[in-house]
Amino acid sequence: MSASAIVMMCVYLCLVWGGLAVGAVLMARHDDDSAGTLPPGWTPLDEVPGRNPTGPTTGTARSDASE
Amino acid sequence: MTTRTRETWATRRTFLAAAIGSAIGLGNIWRFPYIAYQNGGGSFLVPYVIALVTGGVVMLFFDYVIGHRFRGAPPLALARINRRIEALGWVQVLITFFIAVYYTAVLAWAAFYTWFSLTLAWGEDPNGFFMDSFLHFDPAVAVSTSHVPALTGVLLLVWVAILLIMSAGVQRGVGRGSRIAVPLLVVMFLAITLRALFLPGASEGLNAFFQPDWTALTDPTVWMAGYGQIFYSLAVGFGIMLTQASYLKPRTDITTTAWTVAFANSSFEVLAGVGVFSALGFMAAQSGGAIGDVVSSGVGLAFIAFPQIISTMPGGPVFGVLFFGSLFLAGFTSMFSIIEVPIAAFQEKFHLSRRRATLTVGGVAALVSLLLMPTRSGLATLDIIDKFINVFGIVVISVLTLVIVGWGCRMFGVLSRHLDAISTIPTRGWWPIFVGVITPVVLTVIFLGDAIGLVRTPYEGYSPLQLAIFGWGVAAVLYVGSLVLSLLPWRGSVSFDTPPETAFDADRPPSSRAREATPTEVSPAEATPTDGAAAPMLEGAVR
């Protein structure tokens, strides 16, 4: 292999695998519940006390037949 | 009244496995190495990485945030943005339906070749074996009804396996399947690459792959190739990633997840390039020719060039099992997310149970696949559908969705704030420019280049009848079919409002959201068309 090919191979691998490493580090440092600009005490709606724990639902559907 | 709770991925790891399994497909192994070699070798890194960040990652943000915020497959998610753009979602659904039809055929071939590797069944003439003995391909027949029995049987088995996993649901089926298959795929391909690196001639192969040709960077087609590779490889813009993200928990770091998935896909791609070109270097050394004489892509690389390599290398059968096994696994895990799009879309529109939607939609796709693919004209049919779906389906619908959702419905601001509210990598300011301006322009240039070529000259010299049926006909079905499906009424009562649990907006204090935390169920009659579902949130907040 020529020197330029070896250099490009190293740069290629460092950039692409480095990008993957950056993503992995970010994920390790920030858990889902604290990421972003929402205030730390923010409670997801599906965890608001007294609210039906619908979780992430799409529109609850009534079947035509049952109406 | 029936209430159906939407499934979610149990953990971020499960979603990552499914998303990476979805992104890593056949194209990573058989397309990227060739594209990189043809477009400047080592210097292709520059357009490739720029396209990855400014095209691939930003498009992944776009797909993920729509799926996450509007929590549905493309027709429902887009209808929640604006009822009038539901048809765009159906185009995406039909694209994935047709991809599923032919993608499984390649999986069946890979399954056969994994078995053939044990005995090197292709003998001295892999080309003749593949075309004649295996596919029984007859280029003179436009539409064959003559099926190859063994191929039909294995294709049926592949479909049964896929539909069994899909019917188990998103978490239990796709999630569990991906968590086993994706690490296995990576380990298998690492083994292939390590073995290939120690073959005689490997360094010459790597030299050809990584040797930079800096003059290539002045050629606009090289930059288009970089963006094209990223778009096709990541499978963005036509519903796959959108649907997967619709099963994410409300509080999910979307941008970091998307970044990780995009770079994991590229990391595998570069690994595949190293493995493939090491093997091609060995092949060139054995034949005494140059790398340029043996390099190929797609079906030719996998089913003709690689069998030749496997036949001549020490330990060939083991290498063959690993290579074709990897090809099968890469395609198999991608199939989960491909067929998930039509299954989820029909499930939501027609209020079907998961199992019924899987059997109905998957059953129809399997039937079409079994009718068209394992025949004497199947190879040509596959090639034509693939080309026309890519050009007139994927590229067109990506541009239309970006322009209509982003600019027409003014959603870029809403989506950017949604991302920033719950994600680590900020999007404010830069993201709408790349996803709203640069990406549509690049995709339009790619489309024009490909479409003009297809209009001017018959693709690959196929007959007018073949092109009319499987090319232009399939393209027409995408758009006419999507219009018809969008006009059909939604079964059951579906809310077209933004689901409250994901109506994130960084500008609104949590207290105002808590007051809205009343579970509502809106009938179609009550549902307000949501021209920008979050129109009220836009007031004074457009940045």
Side-chain angles (χ1 to χ4, degrees):
Chain A
M1 279 180 82
S2 68
S4 56
I6 292 171
V7 169
M8 284 314 297
M9 182 173 76
C10 294
V11 175
Y12 232 113
L13 296 176
C14 286
L15 265 178
V16 177
W17 290 358
L20 176 61
V22 167
V25 168
L26 283 176
M27 292 187 107
R29 288 190 179 168
H30 302 270
D31 64 36
D32 282 335
D33 293 329
S34 64
T37 56
L38 278 183
W42 188 88
T43 309
L45 288 176
D46 55 329
E47 292 170 19
V48 171
R51 184 176 188 266
N52 284 338
T54 54
T57 57
T58 44
T60 47
R62 281 190 296 264
S63 79
D64 288 340
S66 62
E67 283 183 289
Chain B
M1 185 176 111
T2 58
T3 299
R4 194 170 292 155
T5 302
R6 188 174 191 76
E7 270 196 279
T8 53
W9 303 103
T11 63
R12 186 154 72 174
R13 278 187 183 181
T14 307
F15 173 74
L16 271 177
I20 292 170
S22 162
I24 295 175
L26 302 173
N28 295 66
I29 297 170
W30 74 22
R31 190 174 190 273
F32 169 75
Y34 178 79
I35 294 291
Y37 171 76
Q38 288 288 76
N39 291 280
S43 55
F44 184 68
L45 170 73
V46 178
Y48 178 75
V49 171
I50 290 175
L52 171 61
V53 177
T54 64
V57 171
V58 300
M59 276 295 287
L60 210 45
F61 285 3
F62 183 76
D63 280 359
Y64 277 179
V65 71
I66 291 181
H68 183 257
R69 184 178 181 86
F70 298 104
R71 308 199 78 66
L76 180 60
L78 296 184
R80 281 179 168 159
I81 294 173
N82 187 317
R83 292 294 303 275
R84 286 172 291 187
I85 64 170
E86 183 190 326
L88 291 179
W90 285 108
V91 177
Q92 300 185 7
V93 170
L94 292 179
I95 286 171
T96 50
F97 177 88
F98 281 112
I99 292 175
V101 162
Y102 67 77
Y103 209 79
T104 38
V106 184
L107 294 190
W109 301 351
F112 260 112
Y113 268 67
T114 308
W115 175 252
F116 289 159
S117 295
L118 292 172
T119 56
L120 307 178
W122 45 77
E124 298 294 311
D125 179 18
N127 185 42
F129 177 82
F130 180 67
M131 292 293 185
D132 303 328
S133 309
F134 178 56
L135 293 182
H136 298 272
F137 180 58
D138 185 351
V141 180
V143 184
S144 170
T145 52
S146 169
H147 283 70
V148 181
L151 202 47
T152 309
V154 170
L155 182 57
L156 178 64
L157 286 178
V158 171
W159 270 110
V160 168
I162 288 166
L163 296 184
L164 274 176
I165 291 172
M166 297 308 296
S167 65
V170 171
Q171 171 59 28
R172 282 199 309 140
V174 179
R176 281 187 190 169
S178 300
R179 284 193 73 156
I180 297 167
V182 171
L184 183 62
L185 168 65
V186 173
V187 169
M188 284 170 73
F189 219 88
L190 269 173
I192 290 170
T193 305
L194 281 174
R195 176 69 189 97
L197 277 172
F198 291 97
L199 288 169
S203 64
E204 280 71 28
L206 291 177
N207 194 55
F209 185 52
F210 286 113
Q211 183 67 42
D213 170 15
W214 298 110
T215 58
L217 297 183
T218 58
D219 182 355
T221 60
V222 169
W223 289 82
M224 288 300 124
Y227 276 93
Q229 174 60 28
I230 289 294
F231 288 132
Y232 289 131
S233 173
L234 272 177
V236 285
F238 56 102
I240 290 178
M241 297 303 185
L242 187 159
T243 307
Q244 281 207 324
S246 72
Y247 301 110
L248 281 168
K249 289 182 299 178
R251 196 72 199 256
T252 298
D253 186 344
I254 297 176
T255 56
T256 309
T257 305
W259 175 281
T260 308
V261 170
F263 274 89
N265 176 63
S266 290
S267 297
F268 185 87
E269 208 157 69
V270 175
L271 179 73
V274 171
V276 166
F277 266 82
S278 299
L280 288 176
F282 168 74
M283 186 179 175
Q286 294 301 107
S287 64
I291 296 286
D293 299 333
V294 297
V295 73
S296 57
S297 69
V299 171
L301 174 74
F303 295 101
I304 296 168
F306 259 86
Q308 273 180 319
I309 295 167
I310 291 162
S311 290
T312 48
M313 71 188 289
V318 177
F319 188 88
V321 168
L322 287 173
F323 177 78
F324 288 110
S326 299
L327 205 63
F328 180 83
L329 273 182
F332 196 67
T333 50
S334 295
M335 256 307 287
F336 296 160
S337 58
I338 293 170
I339 197 68
E340 175 64 30
V341 181
I343 288 173
F346 279 85
Q347 187 182 359
E348 289 162 1
K349 176 97 182 187
F350 299 105
H351 190 48
L352 303 172
S353 67
R354 173 78 189 185
R355 183 158 294 178
R356 194 166 174 195
T358 303
L359 290 178
T360 309
V361 179
V364 172
L367 191 65
V368 177
S369 180
L370 287 163
L371 279 174
L372 294 179
M373 294 303 147
T375 65
R376 296 170 72 87
S377 60
L379 180 62
T381 305
L382 184 155
D383 192 22
I384 297 168
I385 296 179
D386 179 51
K387 182 68 180 177
F388 278 73
I389 284 281
N390 276 314
V391 177
F392 294 103
I394 292 173
V395 183
V396 171
I397 202 61
S398 298
V399 175
L400 287 178
T401 308
L402 284 173
V403 171
I404 293 173
V405 170
W407 297 114
C409 302
R410 299 180 183 180
M411 289 300 291
F412 285 136
V414 176
L415 299 177
S416 177
R417 288 196 300 282
H418 180 109
L419 287 169
D420 289 352
I422 54 171
S423 302
T424 303
I425 302 171
T427 61
R428 186 174 179 169
W430 68 275
W431 178 68
I433 296 169
F434 284 104
V435 77
V437 180
I438 294 173
T439 303
V441 169
V442 170
L443 285 173
T444 303
V445 174
I446 291 173
F447 167 72
L448 289 176
D450 283 344
I452 290 169
L454 285 175
V455 171
R456 281 187 179 162
T457 49
Y459 174 60
E460 292 288 331
Y462 289 120
S463 73
L465 179 64
Q466 284 174 304
L467 293 174
I469 297 173
F470 302 116
W472 300 109
V474 166
V477 167
L478 291 182
Y479 293 94
V480 176
S482 66
L483 266 180
V484 171
L485 285 162
S486 70
L487 292 174
L488 296 175
W490 288 77
R491 293 286 303 274
S493 109
V494 179
S495 169
F496 293 99
D497 285 338
T498 306
E501 65 269 16
T502 47
F504 296 112
D505 197 303
D507 287 349
R508 296 195 310 162
S511 57
S512 71
R513 284 178 41 72
R515 280 196 298 275
E516 293 170 18
T518 42
T520 55
E521 191 175 301
V522 185
S523 70
E526 296 165 326
T528 343
T530 49
D531 279 321
M537 299 175 214
L538 280 168
E539 290 172 2
V542 178
R543 294 182 289 227

